[in-house]
């Protein structure tokens, strides 16, 4: 029951409102499936489209550790200064230029029944109309025996940080269908995402849950069924169907990161300052991030994941011509051209970060096989086909044995939100 591209574009344009329909989805090959192609010239730096996810959810450990985000759009709810105070562990931390913080606490609203927080009336209403009526625990929000709380606790017990998925993304898929007047439309939209073989699905579940994944998957399926069973989606609640749903979220879920502090830093970067003032501000921000790294490590953002129909059609390349980002500090995904893209050319993003893309072909293939279950055949990989089949770590070990200095490993870049 495949959705037409009219369904897809109607959702992306109608909800996000700013998709430039300069793309089309085409079948590429049995190995790659479908891909996204330009239908007209797209210039470097141009936003190709802006997409809202069908569903999104904050990671459960991220929420438990007080990364406060809108329960619907994942917009960071802390003021930039509050964010800095929590991440540095310094309650007295003060930020210059507080007027650059974009968080509007006067607009925040909570669900009147369970008290979960939203950044605005619009998000509270949107959540209620799409899925929250089904998922709202009411006064049982903190009751450990509530079926949804039992499900979330079971998930946290088997999927630890760094998180890559959330059982609540699946819960919101089911709740969306349960609440929908046109259930078939939503089922068609969810069916757009790629399917895997049974063996590939097991690999994905193993990656998410670890060595004891079969028993853990069955426990999650039982709790998921007790909390959310829906006759129209009965196949999703069978052992095979639940494994497929799990694999769908595991391979298609796009990570989302938001940060009021990052937004403040970007606004500071845009200030026109005297050279001495610029130097002082940059030094302050550099020290702030050092303090955060010492206190918090790599976990800087409100984090979650979402299902994006158009973005999921973008295949991987180690030399991408487009990139994804979340510049609006919420779940709206922007896909931007990294170079001019001609009509008929495939739009490719990278599933690897910038440091991973600089590693050897063998290392890149290892990461992609383990996480996405495919072998890359992009131009860069084809050009490096004659390289020895050793990982970057093995290459570094060989250099150390030969007495050559090991290159210092580059630190991860800040997430561009």
């Amino acid at each position: 029951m495949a959705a037409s591209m009219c369904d897809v574009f109607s959702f992306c344009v109608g909800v996000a409102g700013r998709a430039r329909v300069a793309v089309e989805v085409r079948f590429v090959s049995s190995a790659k499936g479908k891909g996204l192609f330009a239908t007209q010239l797209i210039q470097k730096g141009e936003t190709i489209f802006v997409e809202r996810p069908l569903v999104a959810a904050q990671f459960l450990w991220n929420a438990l550790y007080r990364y406060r985000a809108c329960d619907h759009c994942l917009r960071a709810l802390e003021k930039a200064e509050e964010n800095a105070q929590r991440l540095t562990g310094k309650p007295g931390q003060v930020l210059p230029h507080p007027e650059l913080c974009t968080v509007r606490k006067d607009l925040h609203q909570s669900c009147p029944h369970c008290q979960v927080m939203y950044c605005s009336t619009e998000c509270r209403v949107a959540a209620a109309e799409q899925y929250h009526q089904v998922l709202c625990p009411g006064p049982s929000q903190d009751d450990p025996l509530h079926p949804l709380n039992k499900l979330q606790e079971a998930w946290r017990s088997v999927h630890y940080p760094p998180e890559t998925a959330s059982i609540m993304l699946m819960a919101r898929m089911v709740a969306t269908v349960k609440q929908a007047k046109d259930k078939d439309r939503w089922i068609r939209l969810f069916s757009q995402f790629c399917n895997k073989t049974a063996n590939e699905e097991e690999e994905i579940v193993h990656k998410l849950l670890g060595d004891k994944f079969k028993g853990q998957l069955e426990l999650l399926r039982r709790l998921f069924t007790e909390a959310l069973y829906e006759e129209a989606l009965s196949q999703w609640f069978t052992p095979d169907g639940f494994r497929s749903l799990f694999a769908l979220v595991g391979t298609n879920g796009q990570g989302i990161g938001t940060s009021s502090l990052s937004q403040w830093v970007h606004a500071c970067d845009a200030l026109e300052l005297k050279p001495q003032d610029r130097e002082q501000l940059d030094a302050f921000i550099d020290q702030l991030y050092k303090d955060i790294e010492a206190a918090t490590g790599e976990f800087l953002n409100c984090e979650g994941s979402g299902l994006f129909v158009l973005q999921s059609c973008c295949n991987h390349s180690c030399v991408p011509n487009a990139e994804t980002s979340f510049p609006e500090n919420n779940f709206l995904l922007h896909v931007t051209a990294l170079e001019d893209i001609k009509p008929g050319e495939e739009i490719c993003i990278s599933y690897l970060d910038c440091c991973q893309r600089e590693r050897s072909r063998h290392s890149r293939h290892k990461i992609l096989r383990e996480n996405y279950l495919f072998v890359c055949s992009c131009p860069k990989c084809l050009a490096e086909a004659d390289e020895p089949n050793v990982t970057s770590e093995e290459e570094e070990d060989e250099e150390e044995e030969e007495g050559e200095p090991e290159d210092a490993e580059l630190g991860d870049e800040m997430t561009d939100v």
Side-chain angles (χ1 to χ4, degrees):
M1 188 162 45
S4 70
M5 285 313 296
C6 287
D7 281 331
V8 174
F9 280 119
S10 173
F11 186 89
C12 295
V13 178
V15 180
R18 285 164 286 162
R20 174 192 173 202
V21 187
V23 298
E24 65 180 6
V25 178
R26 299 181 195 166
F27 178 76
V28 179
S29 66
S30 56
K32 293 180 71 174
K34 57 195 173 185
L36 198 65
F37 291 80
T39 57
Q40 60 191 71
L41 176 65
I42 301 171
Q43 295 183 334
K44 179 180 178 179
E46 187 175 348
T47 298
I48 303 171
F49 61 85
V50 179
E51 183 176 10
R52 170 190 161 170
L54 298 182
V55 286
Q58 187 177 6
F59 293 147
L60 291 180
W61 280 105
N62 189 259
L64 190 67
Y65 282 122
R66 298 186 299 114
Y67 288 76
R68 297 179 54 236
C70 174
D71 197 59
H72 183 63
C73 78
L74 275 69
R75 183 183 298 278
L77 297 179
E78 289 178 307
K79 288 275 191 179
E81 190 167 271
E82 293 174 321
N83 194 198
Q85 290 169 351
R86 179 173 56 80
L87 293 176
T88 59
K90 298 178 179 180
Q93 177 71 63
V94 176
L95 298 185
H97 303 288
E99 73 281 359
L100 298 180
C101 177
T102 58
V103 173
R104 292 282 307 277
K105 286 198 168 188
D106 56 310
L107 299 180
H108 295 180
Q109 289 198 1
S110 63
C111 169
H113 307 293
C114 69
Q115 308 308 314
V116 298
M117 291 298 299
Y118 299 98
C119 67
S120 63
T121 301
E122 290 77 14
C123 277
R124 180 182 60 77
V125 171
E129 291 180 348
Q130 184 179 337
Y131 55 80
H132 190 65
Q133 293 175 49
V134 167
L135 298 179
C136 181
S140 300
Q141 170 76 358
D142 298 319
D143 180 0
L145 298 180
H146 187 279
L148 281 174
N149 290 335
K150 289 167 64 177
L151 177 65
Q152 292 178 75
E153 181 57 33
W155 174 258
R156 280 192 294 264
S157 71
V158 297
H159 189 65
Y160 295 95
E163 299 170 273
T164 57
S166 172
I167 195 76
M168 292 310 293
L169 194 64
M170 299 163 60
R172 288 186 178 184
M173 292 171 69
V174 172
T176 294
V177 174
K178 286 173 78 79
Q179 278 192 214
K181 293 179 180 178
D182 187 353
K183 299 183 189 301
D184 287 344
R185 173 177 176 266
W186 279 99
I187 295 172
R188 286 196 303 270
L189 285 167
F190 289 134
S191 74
Q192 287 291 296
F193 297 96
C194 65
N195 298 310
K196 300 290 184 182
T197 66
N199 286 340
E200 288 174 329
E201 289 175 351
E202 286 214 347
E203 285 187 53
I204 297 162
V205 175
H206 185 189
K207 180 76 177 176
L208 287 172
L209 299 183
D211 291 336
K212 299 179 181 179
F213 70 92
K214 289 186 178 179
Q216 292 166 341
L217 187 67
E218 179 55 28
L219 170 63
L220 290 170
R221 185 187 72 85
R222 180 173 58 78
L223 293 172
F224 194 77
T225 302
E226 289 175 4
L228 294 162
Y229 184 77
E230 164 61 38
E231 186 63 35
L233 297 170
S234 58
Q235 175 58 29
W236 285 7
F237 295 88
T238 66
D240 287 349
F242 188 68
R243 184 193 63 213
S244 297
L245 182 63
F246 212 96
L248 181 154
V249 168
T251 52
N252 293 282
Q254 163 69 44
I256 300 169
T258 64
S259 167
S260 55
L261 180 61
S262 177
Q263 293 286 300
W264 175 83
V265 170
H266 287 316
C268 286
D269 290 341
L271 287 175
E272 294 185 4
L273 300 173
K274 296 177 181 178
Q276 183 178 356
D277 293 337
R278 167 56 60 191
E279 185 177 340
Q280 288 178 348
L281 182 58
D282 289 348
F284 173 87
I285 292 171
D286 288 344
Q287 184 59 50
L288 179 66
Y289 277 127
K290 288 177 183 177
D291 292 344
I292 290 173
E293 184 177 8
T296 311
E298 63 185 83
F299 300 105
L300 303 178
N301 301 327
C302 299
E303 294 181 347
S305 63
L307 293 178
F308 297 84
V309 178
L310 287 182
Q311 177 272 338
S312 74
C313 296
C314 294
N315 286 311
H316 164 82
S317 173
C318 297
V319 280
N321 57 12
E323 66 177 358
T324 61
S325 63
F326 297 90
E328 299 185 50
N329 197 34
N330 61 10
F331 64 12
L332 289 180
L333 177 142
H334 290 231
V335 176
T336 306
L338 294 173
E339 59 188 51
D340 289 352
I341 303 174
K342 299 175 183 176
E345 187 176 349
E346 185 174 6
I347 297 167
C348 293
I349 59 177
S350 181
Y351 302 169
L352 305 175
D353 63 34
C354 59
C355 294
Q356 291 170 332
R357 292 200 296 273
E358 295 306 313
R359 299 180 70 180
S360 70
R361 173 179 177 271
H362 187 67
S363 292
R364 299 196 307 271
H365 279 205
K366 184 173 183 289
I367 296 169
L368 292 168
R369 275 197 306 270
E370 288 179 354
N371 292 281
Y372 301 99
L373 307 182
F374 73 89
V375 176
C376 183
S377 58
C378 73
K380 182 175 182 177
C381 287
L382 292 177
E384 297 174 353
D386 294 331
E387 285 189 354
N389 286 332
V390 294
T391 64
S392 298
E393 289 91 341
E394 289 169 340
E395 292 165 353
E396 290 168 356
D397 289 342
E398 288 173 4
E399 286 180 0
E400 287 187 273
E401 288 172 6
E402 294 169 5
E404 295 181 13
E406 182 180 4
D407 290 335
E409 184 177 352
L410 293 174
D412 289 341
E413 288 192 13
M414 297 292 296
T415 302
D416 184 10
V417 295

